[in-house]
Amino acid sequence: MGEALSQDYDVLEEVGRGRFGVVYRCTSRATGSTFAVKSIDKSLTSGDSLDAQCLLIEPKILAHLSPHPHILNLYASYEDDTHLHMVLDFCPNRDLHSLIIAAGTLPEPQACALFAQLASAIAHCHSYGVVHRDVKPDNVLLDGRNAVRLADFGSAEVLVPAAGETALSGVVGTPYYVAPEVLMGREYGEKVDVWSAGVVLYIMLAGFPPFYGETAVEIFQAVLRGNLRFPARVFHKVSPAAKDLLKRMLCKDVSRRLSAEQVLRHPWVASASDLSDLT
């Protein structure tokens, strides 16, 4: 572990492992507070590759967005010859994917509270021109208060309208959650995150994705068709307001799809019990 990091933090047990690195629990030598440190092995990324770009962009974007109560905050970063170390919020209570797997479906009030926090995080990103591009339950962590923390900004990009940057390109994301305009090869903007968040909400309420296939190709075909359905066996207990929001988020016509700010103002989201927590 890097010498500078070890001077400031006691690095403890491993709590997670990803494609390029390991996450450890750590404590601040100055305050005793608990954090996570994500240590990325730079040898696993090559020079000018997309992976190398992801390695560099994530700490920059997190520093740009912090602090926010529903985004994984970056407290410090250290770099040595072999690793990049990012000191982040410690989230001991698993992620949204694990929560859904364990529960099957979430009660509507719980789904509403969690989703309102996720929508707040996405709206904050968009206000800074940041498009996450990989919103999915695995990237929605739950902290010690079981509050949402949007994580993994390795695929994110920043739009700077003043510099003429108003659209993105490139197929980025995860099959079930990717927006149709991405698959069509068109330029796209921040509303791809709204589509992905709509898929997340659908899965919270139904326990399965709205657009399904046995292979990635079949999933992409289903996404492109965009035939949104609400099977009665699952959705008979879901409120009309929740279904209305889903229709407005999972809308193929980007011009008619809600923005993240409009999602926050939708009556169903505005009914969340912890709206005081969203700012």
Side-chain angles (χ1 to χ4, degrees):
M1 203 60 69
E3 185 178 338
L5 172 66
S6 298
Q7 287 177 354
D8 295 337
Y9 296 89
D10 287 317
V11 180
L12 306 170
E13 76 276 10
E14 178 182 326
V15 294
R17 185 172 287 262
R19 192 158 55 114
F20 297 118
V22 183
V23 180
Y24 302 91
R25 185 171 69 90
C26 68
T27 56
S28 166
R29 287 178 177 265
T31 67
S33 299
T34 299
F35 299 92
V37 58
K38 182 177 181 180
S39 295
I40 300 170
D41 185 345
K42 295 196 291 189
S43 70
L44 297 177
T45 65
S46 56
D48 296 324
S49 70
L50 182 61
D51 293 332
Q53 293 173 34
C54 293
L55 175 74
L56 295 171
I57 198 167
E58 184 170 22
K60 290 180 181 177
I61 286 181
L62 285 174
H64 193 52
L65 294 173
S66 297
H68 187 275
H70 299 300
I71 292 174
L72 200 65
N73 290 306
L74 176 70
Y75 295 94
S77 60
Y78 303 83
E79 188 170 0
D80 54 41
D81 291 341
T82 60
H83 286 78
L84 172 69
H85 309 283
M86 292 186 288
V87 179
L88 305 158
D89 289 306
F90 180 59
C91 295
N93 293 334
R94 60 192 174 178
D95 56 37
L96 186 57
H97 175 76
S98 302
L99 183 65
I100 295 167
I101 292 295
T105 59
L106 302 185
E108 190 170 327
Q110 183 185 14
C112 183
L114 291 172
F115 180 78
Q117 295 172 24
L118 175 59
S120 170
I122 293 170
H124 180 75
C125 291
H126 292 179
S127 73
Y128 282 87
V130 174
V131 186
H132 188 283
R133 299 205 296 178
D134 198 18
V135 175
K136 59 183 178 180
D138 319 55
N139 291 337
V140 179
L141 306 183
L142 299 173
D143 68 14
R145 300 181 300 113
N146 276 319
V148 159
R149 296 285 187 158
L150 181 60
D152 199 344
F153 283 78
S155 298
E157 287 279 2
V158 182
L159 289 174
V160 186
E165 299 170 359
T166 58
L168 301 170
S169 60
V171 178
V172 178
T174 302
Y176 285 120
Y177 306 93
V178 68
E181 61 267 28
V182 176
L183 297 177
M184 291 175 189
R186 297 176 180 170
E187 291 190 328
Y188 53 85
E190 69 279 352
K191 285 187 179 181
V192 297
D193 289 343
V194 174
W195 176 281
S196 300
V199 176
V200 172
L201 175 57
Y202 189 104
I203 292 174
M204 281 198 279
L205 295 171
F208 53 84
F211 311 109
Y212 181 78
E214 295 292 338
T215 66
V217 171
E218 289 180 4
I219 296 166
F220 291 155
Q221 289 171 342
V223 170
L224 288 168
R225 285 193 297 271
N227 187 12
L228 182 62
R229 294 177 177 172
F230 299 111
R233 63 185 172 82
V234 176
F235 279 91
H236 67 284
K237 291 184 178 179
V238 175
S239 69
K243 288 185 274 194
D244 176 73
L245 175 60
L246 285 167
K247 290 175 187 174
R248 293 172 185 269
M249 296 180 73
L250 296 172
C251 175
K252 280 183 64 179
D253 184 343
V254 180
S255 67
R256 292 176 52 235
R257 189 183 308 159
L258 296 183
S259 68
E261 282 291 342
Q262 289 171 325
V263 168
L264 273 180
R265 294 197 298 269
H266 188 277
W268 188 77
V269 178
S271 72
S273 60
D274 64 341
L275 279 179
S276 60
D277 244 3
L278 296 182
T279 53

